[in-house]
Short mmCIF file of all heavy atoms in Angstrom, two decimals:
data_model
loop_
_atom_site.label_atom_id
_atom_site.label_comp_id
_atom_site.label_asym_id
_atom_site.label_seq_id
_atom_site.Cartn_x
_atom_site.Cartn_y
_atom_site.Cartn_z
N ARG A 1244 1.55 16.27 5.71
CA ARG A 1244 2.24 15.26 4.93
C ARG A 1244 1.22 14.58 4.03
O ARG A 1244 0.29 13.95 4.52
CB ARG A 1244 2.91 14.24 5.85
CG ARG A 1244 3.76 13.22 5.15
CD ARG A 1244 4.50 12.38 6.16
NE ARG A 1244 5.26 11.32 5.54
CZ ARG A 1244 6.00 10.43 6.21
NH1 ARG A 1244 6.05 10.51 7.53
NH2 ARG A 1244 6.67 9.49 5.59
N PRO A 1245 1.33 14.71 2.74
CA PRO A 1245 0.30 14.16 1.85
C PRO A 1245 0.24 12.64 1.93
O PRO A 1245 1.20 11.96 2.28
CB PRO A 1245 0.75 14.63 0.46
CG PRO A 1245 2.21 14.86 0.59
CD PRO A 1245 2.43 15.34 1.99
N GLY A 1246 -0.93 12.12 1.60
CA GLY A 1246 -1.14 10.67 1.63
C GLY A 1246 -2.43 10.31 0.95
O GLY A 1246 -3.04 11.11 0.23
N ALA A 1247 -2.88 9.08 1.20
CA ALA A 1247 -4.11 8.59 0.57
C ALA A 1247 -4.63 7.43 1.41
O ALA A 1247 -3.88 6.78 2.15
CB ALA A 1247 -3.86 8.14 -0.87
N TRP A 1248 -5.94 7.19 1.28
CA TRP A 1248 -6.54 6.06 1.97
C TRP A 1248 -6.23 4.77 1.20
O TRP A 1248 -6.50 4.67 0.03
CB TRP A 1248 -8.06 6.24 2.09
CG TRP A 1248 -8.45 7.35 3.01
CD1 TRP A 1248 -8.88 8.59 2.67
CD2 TRP A 1248 -8.44 7.31 4.44
NE1 TRP A 1248 -9.14 9.35 3.78
CE2 TRP A 1248 -8.89 8.58 4.89
CE3 TRP A 1248 -8.11 6.34 5.38
CZ2 TRP A 1248 -8.99 8.89 6.25
CZ3 TRP A 1248 -8.21 6.65 6.73
CH2 TRP A 1248 -8.65 7.91 7.15
N ARG A 1249 -5.65 3.80 1.92
CA ARG A 1249 -5.29 2.51 1.31
C ARG A 1249 -5.94 1.37 2.09
O ARG A 1249 -6.36 1.53 3.23
CB ARG A 1249 -3.77 2.33 1.29
CG ARG A 1249 -3.02 3.43 0.52
CD ARG A 1249 -3.24 3.30 -0.95
NE ARG A 1249 -2.58 4.36 -1.70
CZ ARG A 1249 -1.32 4.31 -2.12
NH1 ARG A 1249 -0.56 3.24 -1.83
NH2 ARG A 1249 -0.79 5.30 -2.81
N ARG A 1250 -6.01 0.23 1.44
CA ARG A 1250 -6.56 -0.97 2.05
C ARG A 1250 -5.49 -2.06 2.03
O ARG A 1250 -4.88 -2.34 0.99
CB ARG A 1250 -7.80 -1.44 1.29
CG ARG A 1250 -8.55 -2.59 1.95
CD ARG A 1250 -9.69 -3.05 1.06
NE ARG A 1250 -10.70 -2.01 0.90
CZ ARG A 1250 -11.73 -1.84 1.72
NH1 ARG A 1250 -11.88 -2.65 2.76
NH2 ARG A 1250 -12.60 -0.88 1.50
N ASN A 1251 -5.23 -2.67 3.19
CA ASN A 1251 -4.20 -3.70 3.26
C ASN A 1251 -4.80 -5.06 2.91
O ASN A 1251 -5.98 -5.18 2.56
CB ASN A 1251 -3.56 -3.72 4.65
CG ASN A 1251 -4.57 -3.98 5.75
OD1 ASN A 1251 -5.74 -4.25 5.49
ND2 ASN A 1251 -4.12 -3.89 6.99
N LYS A 1252 -3.99 -6.10 2.99
CA LYS A 1252 -4.44 -7.44 2.57
C LYS A 1252 -5.43 -8.07 3.54
O LYS A 1252 -6.07 -9.09 3.19
CB LYS A 1252 -3.23 -8.36 2.40
CG LYS A 1252 -2.38 -8.50 3.64
CD LYS A 1252 -1.15 -9.34 3.36
CE LYS A 1252 -0.23 -9.43 4.57
NZ LYS A 1252 0.97 -10.21 4.27
N CYS A 1253 -5.55 -7.49 4.77
CA CYS A 1253 -6.53 -8.00 5.72
C CYS A 1253 -7.86 -7.27 5.62
O CYS A 1253 -8.81 -7.58 6.37
CB CYS A 1253 -6.00 -7.88 7.15
SG CYS A 1253 -4.56 -8.91 7.47
N GLY A 1254 -7.96 -6.29 4.72
CA GLY A 1254 -9.21 -5.57 4.53
C GLY A 1254 -9.36 -4.32 5.37
O GLY A 1254 -10.40 -3.65 5.29
N HIS A 1255 -8.35 -3.95 6.15
CA HIS A 1255 -8.42 -2.75 6.98
C HIS A 1255 -8.08 -1.53 6.12
O HIS A 1255 -7.12 -1.54 5.34
CB HIS A 1255 -7.46 -2.84 8.17
CG HIS A 1255 -7.81 -3.93 9.13
ND1 HIS A 1255 -8.79 -3.78 10.09
CD2 HIS A 1255 -7.33 -5.19 9.27
CE1 HIS A 1255 -8.89 -4.89 10.79
NE2 HIS A 1255 -8.01 -5.78 10.31
N VAL A 1256 -8.84 -0.47 6.31
CA VAL A 1256 -8.60 0.80 5.61
C VAL A 1256 -7.81 1.71 6.54
O VAL A 1256 -8.20 1.92 7.70
CB VAL A 1256 -9.92 1.46 5.19
CG1 VAL A 1256 -9.66 2.78 4.47
CG2 VAL A 1256 -10.72 0.52 4.29
N TYR A 1257 -6.74 2.26 6.05
CA TYR A 1257 -5.88 3.12 6.87
C TYR A 1257 -5.33 4.24 5.98
O TYR A 1257 -5.39 4.18 4.76
CB TYR A 1257 -4.73 2.32 7.49
CG TYR A 1257 -3.73 1.78 6.51
CD1 TYR A 1257 -2.51 2.43 6.30
CD2 TYR A 1257 -3.99 0.63 5.76
CE1 TYR A 1257 -1.59 1.94 5.39
CE2 TYR A 1257 -3.08 0.14 4.86
CZ TYR A 1257 -1.88 0.80 4.68
OH TYR A 1257 -0.98 0.33 3.76
N TRP A 1258 -4.78 5.26 6.66
CA TRP A 1258 -4.22 6.42 5.95
C TRP A 1258 -2.73 6.18 5.72
O TRP A 1258 -1.95 6.05 6.66
CB TRP A 1258 -4.42 7.70 6.77
CG TRP A 1258 -3.82 8.93 6.15
CD1 TRP A 1258 -2.64 9.52 6.48
CD2 TRP A 1258 -4.37 9.70 5.08
NE1 TRP A 1258 -2.42 10.62 5.70
CE2 TRP A 1258 -3.46 10.77 4.83
CE3 TRP A 1258 -5.53 9.62 4.32
CZ2 TRP A 1258 -3.68 11.71 3.84
CZ3 TRP A 1258 -5.75 10.57 3.34
CH2 TRP A 1258 -4.84 11.60 3.11
N TYR A 1259 -2.36 6.10 4.47
CA TYR A 1259 -0.96 5.87 4.10
C TYR A 1259 -0.31 7.21 3.75
O TYR A 1259 -0.78 7.94 2.88
CB TYR A 1259 -0.86 4.93 2.90
CG TYR A 1259 0.55 4.73 2.40
CD1 TYR A 1259 1.43 3.91 3.08
CD2 TYR A 1259 1.00 5.38 1.25
CE1 TYR A 1259 2.73 3.73 2.63
CE2 TYR A 1259 2.29 5.21 0.79
CZ TYR A 1259 3.16 4.38 1.49
OH TYR A 1259 4.45 4.21 1.05
N ARG A 1260 0.76 7.53 4.47
CA ARG A 1260 1.47 8.79 4.24
C ARG A 1260 2.59 8.57 3.22
O ARG A 1260 3.39 7.64 3.35
CB ARG A 1260 2.06 9.33 5.54
CG ARG A 1260 1.00 9.68 6.59
CD ARG A 1260 1.59 10.37 7.78
NE ARG A 1260 2.54 9.52 8.49
CZ ARG A 1260 3.26 9.92 9.53
NH1 ARG A 1260 3.13 11.16 9.99
NH2 ARG A 1260 4.10 9.10 10.13
N PHE A 1261 2.61 9.41 2.22
CA PHE A 1261 3.61 9.29 1.17
C PHE A 1261 5.01 9.57 1.71
O PHE A 1261 5.20 10.36 2.63
CB PHE A 1261 3.30 10.26 0.03
CG PHE A 1261 1.99 9.97 -0.66
CD1 PHE A 1261 1.26 10.99 -1.26
CD2 PHE A 1261 1.50 8.68 -0.71
CE1 PHE A 1261 0.06 10.73 -1.89
CE2 PHE A 1261 0.30 8.40 -1.35
CZ PHE A 1261 -0.42 9.43 -1.94
N LYS A 1262 5.97 8.91 1.09
CA LYS A 1262 7.38 9.06 1.46
C LYS A 1262 8.19 9.41 0.22
O LYS A 1262 7.75 9.19 -0.91
CB LYS A 1262 7.91 7.77 2.08
CG LYS A 1262 7.15 7.29 3.31
CD LYS A 1262 7.71 5.99 3.83
CE LYS A 1262 6.90 5.48 5.02
NZ LYS A 1262 7.41 4.16 5.51
N GLU A 1263 9.35 9.95 0.47
CA GLU A 1263 10.25 10.31 -0.63
C GLU A 1263 11.28 9.20 -0.82
O GLU A 1263 11.91 8.74 0.13
CB GLU A 1263 10.96 11.64 -0.33
CG GLU A 1263 10.03 12.84 -0.31
CD GLU A 1263 10.79 14.14 -0.12
OE1 GLU A 1263 12.04 14.06 0.04
OE2 GLU A 1263 10.15 15.20 -0.12
N TYR A 1264 11.44 8.80 -2.06
CA TYR A 1264 12.40 7.76 -2.42
C TYR A 1264 13.38 8.33 -3.45
O TYR A 1264 13.09 9.29 -4.16
CB TYR A 1264 11.71 6.52 -2.98
CG TYR A 1264 10.83 5.80 -1.98
CD1 TYR A 1264 9.46 6.04 -1.93
CD2 TYR A 1264 11.37 4.89 -1.08
CE1 TYR A 1264 8.65 5.39 -1.02
CE2 TYR A 1264 10.56 4.23 -0.16
CZ TYR A 1264 9.22 4.48 -0.14
OH TYR A 1264 8.42 3.84 0.77
N ALA A 1265 14.52 7.69 -3.52
CA ALA A 1265 15.55 8.16 -4.46
C ALA A 1265 15.23 7.76 -5.90
O ALA A 1265 15.78 8.35 -6.83
CB ALA A 1265 16.92 7.61 -4.06
N ILE A 1266 14.33 6.78 -6.06
CA ILE A 1266 13.99 6.32 -7.40
C ILE A 1266 12.48 6.34 -7.55
O ILE A 1266 11.75 6.38 -6.55
CB ILE A 1266 14.54 4.89 -7.66
CG1 ILE A 1266 14.02 3.92 -6.59
CG2 ILE A 1266 16.05 4.90 -7.70
CD1 ILE A 1266 14.49 2.49 -6.79
N PRO A 1267 11.94 6.33 -8.75
CA PRO A 1267 10.48 6.32 -8.94
C PRO A 1267 9.85 5.06 -8.36
O PRO A 1267 10.50 4.04 -8.16
CB PRO A 1267 10.32 6.39 -10.46
CG PRO A 1267 11.60 6.95 -10.96
CD PRO A 1267 12.66 6.47 -10.03
N TRP A 1268 8.54 5.15 -8.09
CA TRP A 1268 7.85 4.04 -7.44
C TRP A 1268 7.81 2.81 -8.32
O TRP A 1268 7.84 1.67 -7.81
CB TRP A 1268 6.44 4.47 -7.05
CG TRP A 1268 5.54 4.73 -8.22
CD1 TRP A 1268 5.35 5.90 -8.87
CD2 TRP A 1268 4.71 3.77 -8.88
NE1 TRP A 1268 4.46 5.76 -9.90
CE2 TRP A 1268 4.04 4.45 -9.92
CE3 TRP A 1268 4.46 2.40 -8.70
CZ2 TRP A 1268 3.15 3.81 -10.77
CZ3 TRP A 1268 3.57 1.78 -9.54
CH2 TRP A 1268 2.93 2.47 -10.56
N TYR A 1269 7.70 2.96 -9.62
CA TYR A 1269 7.61 1.79 -10.49
C TYR A 1269 8.96 1.09 -10.64
O TYR A 1269 9.03 -0.02 -11.18
CB TYR A 1269 7.07 2.20 -11.87
CG TYR A 1269 7.82 3.34 -12.53
CD1 TYR A 1269 8.98 3.12 -13.26
CD2 TYR A 1269 7.35 4.65 -12.41
CE1 TYR A 1269 9.66 4.16 -13.86
CE2 TYR A 1269 8.03 5.69 -13.01
CZ TYR A 1269 9.18 5.45 -13.73
OH TYR A 1269 9.85 6.48 -14.32
N MET A 1270 10.06 1.71 -10.17
CA MET A 1270 11.37 1.06 -10.16
C MET A 1270 11.80 0.60 -8.77
O MET A 1270 12.86 -0.02 -8.63
CB MET A 1270 12.43 2.03 -10.72
CG MET A 1270 12.18 2.45 -12.16
SD MET A 1270 13.35 3.70 -12.72
CE MET A 1270 14.90 2.86 -12.51
N ASN A 1271 10.98 0.90 -7.79
CA ASN A 1271 11.32 0.59 -6.40
C ASN A 1271 10.73 -0.77 -6.04
O ASN A 1271 9.51 -0.96 -5.98
CB ASN A 1271 10.76 1.67 -5.47
CG ASN A 1271 11.32 1.57 -4.07
OD1 ASN A 1271 11.92 0.57 -3.70
ND2 ASN A 1271 11.13 2.62 -3.30
N ARG A 1272 11.58 -1.77 -5.82
CA ARG A 1272 11.11 -3.11 -5.48
C ARG A 1272 10.50 -3.17 -4.08
O ARG A 1272 9.56 -3.91 -3.83
CB ARG A 1272 12.28 -4.09 -5.57
CG ARG A 1272 12.86 -4.24 -6.97
CD ARG A 1272 14.00 -5.24 -6.96
NE ARG A 1272 14.58 -5.39 -8.30
CZ ARG A 1272 15.62 -6.18 -8.58
NH1 ARG A 1272 16.18 -6.91 -7.61
NH2 ARG A 1272 16.07 -6.25 -9.82
N ARG A 1273 11.06 -2.37 -3.19
CA ARG A 1273 10.53 -2.35 -1.82
C ARG A 1273 9.11 -1.81 -1.80
O ARG A 1273 8.26 -2.32 -1.06
CB ARG A 1273 11.45 -1.52 -0.94
CG ARG A 1273 11.03 -1.45 0.51
CD ARG A 1273 11.99 -0.58 1.31
NE ARG A 1273 11.57 -0.44 2.69
CZ ARG A 1273 12.19 0.33 3.58
NH1 ARG A 1273 13.26 1.02 3.22
NH2 ARG A 1273 11.75 0.41 4.82
N TYR A 1274 8.83 -0.80 -2.58
CA TYR A 1274 7.48 -0.25 -2.63
C TYR A 1274 6.51 -1.22 -3.29
O TYR A 1274 5.34 -1.32 -2.90
CB TYR A 1274 7.50 1.08 -3.38
CG TYR A 1274 6.15 1.75 -3.50
CD1 TYR A 1274 5.63 2.49 -2.44
CD2 TYR A 1274 5.39 1.62 -4.66
CE1 TYR A 1274 4.39 3.09 -2.56
CE2 TYR A 1274 4.16 2.22 -4.77
CZ TYR A 1274 3.66 2.96 -3.72
OH TYR A 1274 2.43 3.56 -3.82
N LYS A 1275 6.98 -1.95 -4.29
CA LYS A 1275 6.11 -2.90 -4.98
C LYS A 1275 5.73 -4.08 -4.11
O LYS A 1275 4.71 -4.73 -4.35
CB LYS A 1275 6.79 -3.40 -6.26
CG LYS A 1275 6.86 -2.35 -7.37
CD LYS A 1275 7.47 -2.95 -8.61
CE LYS A 1275 7.49 -1.95 -9.75
NZ LYS A 1275 8.06 -2.52 -10.99
N ARG A 1276 6.55 -4.39 -3.09
CA ARG A 1276 6.23 -5.51 -2.20
C ARG A 1276 5.12 -5.17 -1.20
O ARG A 1276 4.61 -6.08 -0.53
CB ARG A 1276 7.48 -5.94 -1.44
CG ARG A 1276 8.50 -6.68 -2.30
CD ARG A 1276 9.48 -7.44 -1.43
NE ARG A 1276 10.23 -6.55 -0.56
CZ ARG A 1276 11.43 -6.05 -0.85
NH1 ARG A 1276 12.00 -6.35 -2.02
NH2 ARG A 1276 12.06 -5.27 0.00
N LYS A 1277 4.75 -3.89 -1.09
CA LYS A 1277 3.69 -3.52 -0.16
C LYS A 1277 2.33 -3.86 -0.76
O LYS A 1277 1.99 -3.40 -1.85
CB LYS A 1277 3.75 -2.01 0.14
CG LYS A 1277 5.00 -1.60 0.89
CD LYS A 1277 5.00 -0.12 1.20
CE LYS A 1277 6.24 0.27 1.98
NZ LYS A 1277 6.27 1.71 2.31
N PRO A 1278 1.53 -4.70 -0.07
CA PRO A 1278 0.24 -5.12 -0.63
C PRO A 1278 -0.84 -4.08 -0.37
O PRO A 1278 -1.43 -4.02 0.72
CB PRO A 1278 -0.05 -6.43 0.10
CG PRO A 1278 0.66 -6.29 1.41
CD PRO A 1278 1.84 -5.41 1.18
N PHE A 1279 -1.13 -3.26 -1.35
CA PHE A 1279 -2.20 -2.28 -1.22
C PHE A 1279 -3.49 -2.81 -1.86
O PHE A 1279 -4.17 -2.10 -2.60
CB PHE A 1279 -1.80 -0.95 -1.90
CG PHE A 1279 -0.65 -0.27 -1.22
CD1 PHE A 1279 0.51 -0.02 -1.92
CD2 PHE A 1279 -0.74 0.13 0.11
CE1 PHE A 1279 1.57 0.63 -1.30
CE2 PHE A 1279 0.31 0.77 0.73
CZ PHE A 1279 1.47 1.02 0.03
N PHE A 1280 -3.84 -4.05 -1.56
CA PHE A 1280 -5.05 -4.64 -2.11
C PHE A 1280 -5.53 -5.70 -1.13
O PHE A 1280 -4.80 -6.12 -0.21
CB PHE A 1280 -4.78 -5.27 -3.49
CG PHE A 1280 -3.78 -6.39 -3.45
CD1 PHE A 1280 -4.21 -7.71 -3.30
CD2 PHE A 1280 -2.42 -6.14 -3.54
CE1 PHE A 1280 -3.30 -8.76 -3.26
CE2 PHE A 1280 -1.51 -7.19 -3.50
CZ PHE A 1280 -1.94 -8.49 -3.36
N THR A 1281 -6.76 -6.16 -1.32
CA THR A 1281 -7.37 -7.19 -0.49
C THR A 1281 -7.73 -8.39 -1.36
O THR A 1281 -8.48 -8.24 -2.33
CB THR A 1281 -8.63 -6.66 0.21
OG1 THR A 1281 -8.29 -5.51 0.98
CG2 THR A 1281 -9.24 -7.71 1.12
N PRO A 1282 -7.21 -9.56 -1.06
CA PRO A 1282 -7.54 -10.74 -1.89
C PRO A 1282 -9.03 -11.08 -1.79
O PRO A 1282 -9.74 -10.68 -0.86
CB PRO A 1282 -6.67 -11.83 -1.29
CG PRO A 1282 -5.57 -11.11 -0.57
CD PRO A 1282 -6.17 -9.84 -0.08
N LYS A 1283 -9.51 -11.84 -2.75
CA LYS A 1283 -10.92 -12.19 -2.79
C LYS A 1283 -11.33 -13.13 -1.66
O LYS A 1283 -12.45 -13.05 -1.16
CB LYS A 1283 -11.27 -12.83 -4.14
CG LYS A 1283 -11.15 -11.87 -5.31
CD LYS A 1283 -11.57 -12.56 -6.60
CE LYS A 1283 -11.48 -11.59 -7.79
NZ LYS A 1283 -11.88 -12.25 -9.07
N PHE A 1284 -10.41 -14.01 -1.23
CA PHE A 1284 -10.79 -14.96 -0.18
C PHE A 1284 -10.89 -14.29 1.20
O PHE A 1284 -11.30 -14.93 2.17
CB PHE A 1284 -9.77 -16.11 -0.12
CG PHE A 1284 -8.37 -15.69 0.21
CD1 PHE A 1284 -7.95 -15.56 1.53
CD2 PHE A 1284 -7.46 -15.42 -0.80
CE1 PHE A 1284 -6.67 -15.18 1.83
CE2 PHE A 1284 -6.17 -15.05 -0.51
CZ PHE A 1284 -5.76 -14.92 0.81
N VAL A 1285 -10.51 -13.00 1.30
CA VAL A 1285 -10.59 -12.30 2.59
C VAL A 1285 -11.96 -11.63 2.76
O VAL A 1285 -12.33 -11.26 3.87
CB VAL A 1285 -9.45 -11.25 2.68
CG1 VAL A 1285 -9.47 -10.52 4.02
CG2 VAL A 1285 -8.10 -11.92 2.49
N GLN A 1286 -12.74 -11.49 1.69
CA GLN A 1286 -14.02 -10.80 1.77
C GLN A 1286 -14.97 -11.43 2.80
O GLN A 1286 -15.60 -10.71 3.58
CB GLN A 1286 -14.68 -10.78 0.38
CG GLN A 1286 -13.91 -10.00 -0.67
CD GLN A 1286 -13.82 -8.51 -0.33
OE1 GLN A 1286 -14.70 -7.98 0.36
NE2 GLN A 1286 -12.79 -7.86 -0.83
N PRO A 1287 -15.14 -12.76 2.86
CA PRO A 1287 -16.02 -13.33 3.91
C PRO A 1287 -15.55 -13.01 5.32
O PRO A 1287 -16.37 -12.79 6.23
CB PRO A 1287 -15.99 -14.83 3.62
CG PRO A 1287 -15.59 -14.94 2.20
CD PRO A 1287 -14.66 -13.81 1.95
N HIS A 1288 -14.24 -12.96 5.54
CA HIS A 1288 -13.73 -12.66 6.88
C HIS A 1288 -13.98 -11.19 7.25
O HIS A 1288 -14.17 -10.88 8.44
CB HIS A 1288 -12.23 -12.97 6.93
CG HIS A 1288 -11.91 -14.41 6.66
ND1 HIS A 1288 -12.03 -15.39 7.63
CD2 HIS A 1288 -11.49 -15.05 5.53
CE1 HIS A 1288 -11.67 -16.57 7.13
NE2 HIS A 1288 -11.33 -16.38 5.84
N ILE A 1289 -13.99 -10.32 6.26
CA ILE A 1289 -14.31 -8.92 6.54
C ILE A 1289 -15.75 -8.80 7.03
O ILE A 1289 -16.05 -8.07 7.98
CB ILE A 1289 -14.08 -8.06 5.28
CG1 ILE A 1289 -12.61 -8.06 4.90
CG2 ILE A 1289 -14.58 -6.64 5.51
CD1 ILE A 1289 -12.32 -7.32 3.61
#
């Protein structure tokens, strides 16, 4: 199952497995709500 390494908002790196959706990712609100980034204020805690 294809995927990619992603980083969540807590700074943890994990393997995200791709899923099939009925609409493209840029039109999918549910997919856009997933935080695939780490805020700057989390860097000291990492």
